[in-house]
Amino acid sequence: MNAFERQKKIYLEGASGIISPIPVDARLLEEKALKAMSKQAAAYIVGGAGHGDTMLQNRRAFERWRIVPRMLRDVSVRDTSIELFGKKYPYPLLLSPVGVLEMVHPEADMAVAKAAAATGIPYIFSNQASVPMEVCGAAMENQPRWFQLYWSKSDELVASFVQRAEASGCQAIVVTLDTTLLGWRTQDLELAYLPFLRGLGIAQYTSDPVFRRLLDDPDPNPAPKPKVTLEAIRTLWSMIRHYPGNFSENAKSGYPRKAVKKFIDIYTRPSLTWENLTYLRGITKLPILLKGILHPDDALKALDHGINGLVISNHGGRQVDGAVGTMDMLPRIADVVQGRIPLLIDSGVRGGADIFKALALGATAVCLGRPYVYGLTLGGTEGVQQVLANYLADFDLTMALAGCRSIKEIGADNVMMV
Ligand code: FNR
C-alpha cells in the first residue's frame, strides 16, 4: 500500500466515524502503549541504561540531519524496494529483534511474525523470544526472517541455535555484540525485576535439545534455596508456567527452576573476541551481520573477518548510557566501509523521515524497534500491521516530497547537517 492509499483509508474511515486506536504520531503511540503496560513491562521496554541519555542522543542525532527537498521531478511512480544479500525486499525496513514480548501481549513474537509476513517486512527473531523460532518460522511460510544470536558460554548451544535458525528458514544471522553483560537499567533495577528470572523470554532455550541436555549436568554452583515468600512462590509458579509441557509434571521435575538458573549462568560470554567469529563462519553459510557496531575501526575489523553486514546500533540506549547516537556514526562508518557490505541502522527511528535520512547517509536499510512493540501492546498483529503501514506510507511520502523516485536516488545531496 503506497502513501496515498494509506492516507485515503484513514480519512475515509474517519468520514464514517472510525478512528484507529493505534496512534499515528510516534510520541502518542509510546504514551498510549506505556499506559496499557504493567509497570514492569513499561520499565523493561521503554526504559534505557542509566539516565536514558543515549536514547535522547539517538533522537538528537536524527534531528541534526535535515532533509533538503527537490522539486519538479515527476515522482508519480516510485519504487521503494531494495536488494540485500541477493534477495529483493519491498521496503528498506526490517524489524529489530526485541525479546520478552509476552510482557505486552500473550501472542508475543507470533503476532509480530504474522504482521511482518503480511507486509513482507523481514522479522529478525530475537534470541530472547517468547515463542520458539520454529513456531514463528512456520507461521511466516515463505516470508523473510532472520535470526539474532546472543553468544552464550556454550559453543555447542550457539551451533544448535544457528542450525535451528537455518532449518526454520532464517536467511541471515545477526550477532548482537553489545550485550555481553546486561546494561545498568535503572528502571528495572528500581523495581528489582528481571523477566528472565521468572522464566519469561527464554523460549529459544527451553525448546533447544542442547540446552535441555545441559540441564542434567551437575551444577557446580547451586543457587541457595530462596526464602519462602509470596513473591518467591509467584516467581516459581511463573517459571513452571513458562516451561514447555505439562504444569504438574514440570512442577515435580524441577526443570523450570534449573532452566532459569542455567540460562542466567550461560546466556552471555563477556570474554568474546573477534577470534570467536571464525567459529561462527565455520558453522553456517548464511550471511553474518554484527549488531552493535559504532566505531569505524570495528567496522573495518568486521570486514577483515569476512562479515557480510553491520547493524549500527546502541541497543536503543539500553546498554551504555552516554553513548553516541547511531546517526552520528553512520556517515563515519559508511565512509570507511565504502559500500563493500550493507549497513543497517537502528536506535531512535521514529518516522519515515528518519528512514529517509539514514538511507541518504549510506544505510541500505533501517530497523524498527520499540514502535512496533507499542503497536503489539495496543492491538496485537493488527496493531503491528498498522504501525508498519504508517511508517511505510510516511517513508514513501517523504521520498516523493523530497523528489526521489527510488532508493538509489536518495543520497547525501538530499540531506544536510545543521
Ligand atoms: C531490545 N533489543 C534487542 N536486541 C537484540 O539484539 N536482542 C534482543 O533480544 C533485544 N531485546 C530488546 C528488548 C527490548 C524491550 C528493546 C526495547 C530492545 C534492541 C533492539 O533490537 C533495537 O536495537 C532497539 O530497540 C532500537 O532502539 P529503538 O529504536 O527501539 O529505540
Side-chain angles (χ1 to χ4, degrees), residues 44-45 96-99 126-128 148 150 176 291 313 315-316 318 346-350 367-371:
Y44 187 71
I45 286 155
S96 288
V98 171
S126 165
N127 196 97
Q128 299 314 133
Q148 174 263 320
Y150 281 134
T176 297
K291 177 171 181 278
S313 171
H315 214 105
R318 299 160 65 75
D346 75 13
S347 302
V349 175
R350 295 295 181 270
C367 304
L368 190 66
R370 289 183 177 96

Short mmCIF file of all heavy atoms in Angstrom, two decimals, residues 44-45 96-99 126-128 148 150 176 291 313 315-316 318 346-350 367-371, ligand 1:
data_model
loop_
_atom_site.label_atom_id
_atom_site.label_comp_id
_atom_site.label_asym_id
_atom_site.label_seq_id
_atom_site.Cartn_x
_atom_site.Cartn_y
_atom_site.Cartn_z
N TYR A 44 10.83 -2.29 31.49
CA TYR A 44 11.70 -3.12 30.66
C TYR A 44 11.73 -2.63 29.21
O TYR A 44 12.79 -2.61 28.57
CB TYR A 44 11.24 -4.59 30.71
CG TYR A 44 12.22 -5.50 29.99
CD1 TYR A 44 13.46 -5.75 30.54
CD2 TYR A 44 11.91 -6.05 28.75
CE1 TYR A 44 14.39 -6.54 29.89
CE2 TYR A 44 12.83 -6.85 28.09
CZ TYR A 44 14.06 -7.09 28.66
OH TYR A 44 14.98 -7.87 28.00
N ILE A 45 10.59 -2.22 28.70
CA ILE A 45 10.52 -1.91 27.26
C ILE A 45 10.87 -0.46 26.95
O ILE A 45 11.63 -0.18 26.03
CB ILE A 45 9.14 -2.33 26.71
CG1 ILE A 45 9.15 -3.86 26.62
CG2 ILE A 45 8.87 -1.74 25.32
CD1 ILE A 45 7.87 -4.52 26.69
N SER A 96 13.66 -4.97 14.14
CA SER A 96 14.74 -5.30 15.08
C SER A 96 14.30 -6.44 16.00
O SER A 96 13.11 -6.54 16.33
CB SER A 96 15.06 -4.09 15.96
OG SER A 96 15.72 -3.10 15.25
N PRO A 97 15.26 -7.23 16.46
CA PRO A 97 14.90 -8.26 17.43
C PRO A 97 14.58 -7.63 18.78
O PRO A 97 15.35 -6.83 19.29
CB PRO A 97 16.18 -9.10 17.54
CG PRO A 97 17.29 -8.15 17.14
CD PRO A 97 16.70 -7.21 16.14
N VAL A 98 13.44 -7.97 19.33
CA VAL A 98 13.06 -7.48 20.66
C VAL A 98 12.60 -8.68 21.48
O VAL A 98 11.70 -9.42 21.07
CB VAL A 98 11.94 -6.41 20.56
CG1 VAL A 98 11.40 -6.06 21.94
CG2 VAL A 98 12.47 -5.15 19.88
N GLY A 99 13.21 -8.85 22.63
CA GLY A 99 12.93 -10.02 23.47
C GLY A 99 11.74 -9.80 24.40
O GLY A 99 11.24 -8.68 24.56
N SER A 126 14.25 -12.69 17.86
CA SER A 126 15.15 -12.44 18.99
C SER A 126 15.61 -13.74 19.62
O SER A 126 14.85 -14.70 19.74
CB SER A 126 14.43 -11.61 20.04
OG SER A 126 15.13 -11.64 21.26
N ASN A 127 16.86 -13.72 20.07
CA ASN A 127 17.41 -14.81 20.88
C ASN A 127 16.60 -14.96 22.19
O ASN A 127 16.54 -16.02 22.78
CB ASN A 127 18.86 -14.46 21.21
CG ASN A 127 19.69 -15.63 21.69
OD1 ASN A 127 20.41 -16.25 20.93
ND2 ASN A 127 19.61 -15.93 22.97
N GLN A 128 15.98 -13.85 22.62
CA GLN A 128 15.21 -13.86 23.87
C GLN A 128 13.71 -13.88 23.61
O GLN A 128 12.92 -13.35 24.39
CB GLN A 128 15.56 -12.63 24.72
CG GLN A 128 17.00 -12.55 25.12
CD GLN A 128 17.56 -13.83 25.65
OE1 GLN A 128 18.65 -14.25 25.25
NE2 GLN A 128 16.85 -14.49 26.53
N GLN A 148 18.55 -13.50 15.36
CA GLN A 148 19.54 -12.75 16.15
C GLN A 148 20.10 -13.65 17.24
O GLN A 148 19.35 -14.27 18.00
CB GLN A 148 18.89 -11.51 16.77
CG GLN A 148 19.81 -10.76 17.73
CD GLN A 148 19.56 -11.13 19.18
OE1 GLN A 148 18.41 -11.31 19.59
NE2 GLN A 148 20.62 -11.28 19.97
N TYR A 150 22.59 -14.29 20.63
CA TYR A 150 23.47 -13.90 21.72
C TYR A 150 24.42 -15.06 21.92
O TYR A 150 23.97 -16.21 22.04
CB TYR A 150 22.69 -13.66 23.02
CG TYR A 150 21.99 -12.32 23.08
CD1 TYR A 150 20.68 -12.23 23.52
CD2 TYR A 150 22.66 -11.15 22.75
CE1 TYR A 150 20.03 -11.00 23.60
CE2 TYR A 150 22.01 -9.91 22.83
CZ TYR A 150 20.71 -9.86 23.25
OH TYR A 150 20.07 -8.65 23.32
N THR A 176 24.46 -10.13 18.04
CA THR A 176 24.44 -8.89 18.83
C THR A 176 25.64 -8.88 19.77
O THR A 176 25.83 -9.79 20.58
CB THR A 176 23.12 -8.77 19.62
OG1 THR A 176 22.07 -8.70 18.66
CG2 THR A 176 23.09 -7.52 20.47
N LYS A 291 25.66 -6.80 15.06
CA LYS A 291 24.77 -5.74 15.55
C LYS A 291 25.40 -5.10 16.79
O LYS A 291 25.83 -5.82 17.70
CB LYS A 291 23.40 -6.33 15.89
CG LYS A 291 22.40 -5.34 16.47
CD LYS A 291 21.01 -5.97 16.55
CE LYS A 291 19.96 -5.04 17.09
NZ LYS A 291 19.92 -4.96 18.55
N SER A 313 24.08 0.15 15.87
CA SER A 313 23.04 0.14 16.91
C SER A 313 23.67 0.39 18.27
O SER A 313 24.80 -0.02 18.51
CB SER A 313 22.38 -1.25 16.90
OG SER A 313 21.50 -1.41 18.00
N HIS A 315 21.52 -0.49 20.80
CA HIS A 315 20.53 -1.29 21.52
C HIS A 315 19.41 -0.39 22.07
O HIS A 315 18.85 -0.65 23.13
CB HIS A 315 21.22 -2.03 22.67
CG HIS A 315 20.65 -3.40 22.96
ND1 HIS A 315 21.27 -4.57 22.61
CD2 HIS A 315 19.51 -3.77 23.59
CE1 HIS A 315 20.56 -5.60 23.02
NE2 HIS A 315 19.47 -5.15 23.60
N GLY A 316 19.13 0.68 21.33
CA GLY A 316 18.08 1.59 21.79
C GLY A 316 18.43 2.24 23.12
O GLY A 316 17.53 2.53 23.92
N ARG A 318 19.96 1.01 25.69
CA ARG A 318 19.72 0.15 26.85
C ARG A 318 21.01 -0.41 27.44
O ARG A 318 20.98 -1.09 28.45
CB ARG A 318 18.83 -1.03 26.45
CG ARG A 318 17.48 -0.60 25.96
CD ARG A 318 16.81 -1.67 25.13
NE ARG A 318 16.47 -2.87 25.86
CZ ARG A 318 15.47 -2.98 26.72
NH1 ARG A 318 14.71 -1.94 26.96
NH2 ARG A 318 15.23 -4.12 27.33
N ASP A 346 19.70 0.99 13.56
CA ASP A 346 18.51 1.18 14.38
C ASP A 346 18.85 2.08 15.55
O ASP A 346 19.92 2.66 15.62
CB ASP A 346 17.86 -0.15 14.81
CG ASP A 346 18.61 -0.89 15.91
OD1 ASP A 346 19.51 -0.32 16.55
OD2 ASP A 346 18.27 -2.07 16.14
N SER A 347 17.90 2.23 16.46
CA SER A 347 18.03 3.04 17.68
C SER A 347 17.56 4.48 17.42
O SER A 347 18.33 5.33 16.97
CB SER A 347 19.46 3.03 18.23
OG SER A 347 19.86 1.70 18.52
N GLY A 348 16.29 4.70 17.70
CA GLY A 348 15.72 6.05 17.59
C GLY A 348 14.93 6.30 16.33
O GLY A 348 14.51 7.44 16.11
N VAL A 349 14.71 5.29 15.49
CA VAL A 349 13.92 5.50 14.27
C VAL A 349 12.45 5.69 14.67
O VAL A 349 11.84 4.80 15.26
CB VAL A 349 14.05 4.28 13.32
CG1 VAL A 349 13.13 4.44 12.11
CG2 VAL A 349 15.50 4.10 12.90
N ARG A 350 11.91 6.88 14.39
CA ARG A 350 10.55 7.18 14.84
C ARG A 350 9.67 7.76 13.74
O ARG A 350 8.64 8.39 14.02
CB ARG A 350 10.59 8.16 16.03
CG ARG A 350 11.25 7.58 17.28
CD ARG A 350 10.46 6.41 17.88
NE ARG A 350 11.09 5.88 19.08
CZ ARG A 350 12.01 4.90 19.09
NH1 ARG A 350 12.40 4.33 17.97
NH2 ARG A 350 12.52 4.48 20.23
N CYS A 367 16.20 -0.55 10.75
CA CYS A 367 15.43 -1.48 11.57
C CYS A 367 14.59 -0.72 12.59
O CYS A 367 15.07 0.21 13.23
CB CYS A 367 16.35 -2.44 12.32
SG CYS A 367 17.46 -3.35 11.26
N LEU A 368 13.36 -1.17 12.71
CA LEU A 368 12.41 -0.54 13.63
C LEU A 368 12.36 -1.35 14.92
O LEU A 368 12.24 -2.59 14.88
CB LEU A 368 11.03 -0.50 12.97
CG LEU A 368 9.95 0.31 13.66
CD1 LEU A 368 10.31 1.80 13.64
CD2 LEU A 368 8.61 0.10 12.97
N GLY A 369 12.42 -0.67 16.06
CA GLY A 369 12.40 -1.37 17.35
C GLY A 369 11.14 -1.09 18.15
O GLY A 369 10.04 -1.54 17.78
N ARG A 370 11.27 -0.27 19.19
CA ARG A 370 10.15 -0.07 20.14
C ARG A 370 8.79 0.24 19.48
O ARG A 370 7.77 -0.28 19.95
CB ARG A 370 10.50 1.02 21.14
CG ARG A 370 11.58 0.61 22.14
CD ARG A 370 11.82 1.73 23.14
NE ARG A 370 12.79 1.41 24.16
CZ ARG A 370 14.09 1.74 24.12
NH1 ARG A 370 14.58 2.34 23.07
NH2 ARG A 370 14.89 1.43 25.12
N PRO A 371 8.75 1.08 18.42
CA PRO A 371 7.40 1.44 17.92
C PRO A 371 6.53 0.24 17.54
O PRO A 371 5.32 0.24 17.78
CB PRO A 371 7.72 2.31 16.68
CG PRO A 371 9.04 2.94 17.03
CD PRO A 371 9.80 1.87 17.77
C1 FNR B 1 15.72 -4.84 22.53
N1 FNR B 1 16.80 -5.04 21.69
C2 FNR B 1 17.29 -6.31 21.49
N2 FNR B 1 18.33 -6.50 20.64
C3 FNR B 1 18.80 -7.74 20.41
O1 FNR B 1 19.74 -7.89 19.63
N3 FNR B 1 18.20 -8.82 21.01
C4 FNR B 1 17.18 -8.70 21.86
O2 FNR B 1 16.66 -9.69 22.37
C5 FNR B 1 16.71 -7.40 22.16
N4 FNR B 1 15.71 -7.20 23.05
C6 FNR B 1 15.19 -5.94 23.24
C7 FNR B 1 14.14 -5.76 24.12
C8 FNR B 1 13.57 -4.51 24.25
C9 FNR B 1 12.40 -4.35 25.17
C10 FNR B 1 14.05 -3.42 23.49
C11 FNR B 1 13.41 -2.07 23.57
C12 FNR B 1 15.12 -3.59 22.66
C13 FNR B 1 17.35 -3.91 20.91
C14 FNR B 1 16.62 -3.76 19.58
O3 FNR B 1 16.96 -4.79 18.71
C15 FNR B 1 16.98 -2.43 18.91
O4 FNR B 1 18.37 -2.32 18.79
C16 FNR B 1 16.42 -1.23 19.68
O5 FNR B 1 15.09 -1.47 20.06
C17 FNR B 1 16.50 0.02 18.82
O6 FNR B 1 16.15 1.16 19.55
P1 FNR B 1 14.69 1.85 19.45
O7 FNR B 1 14.57 2.39 18.07
O8 FNR B 1 13.71 0.80 19.76
O9 FNR B 1 14.72 2.92 20.50
#
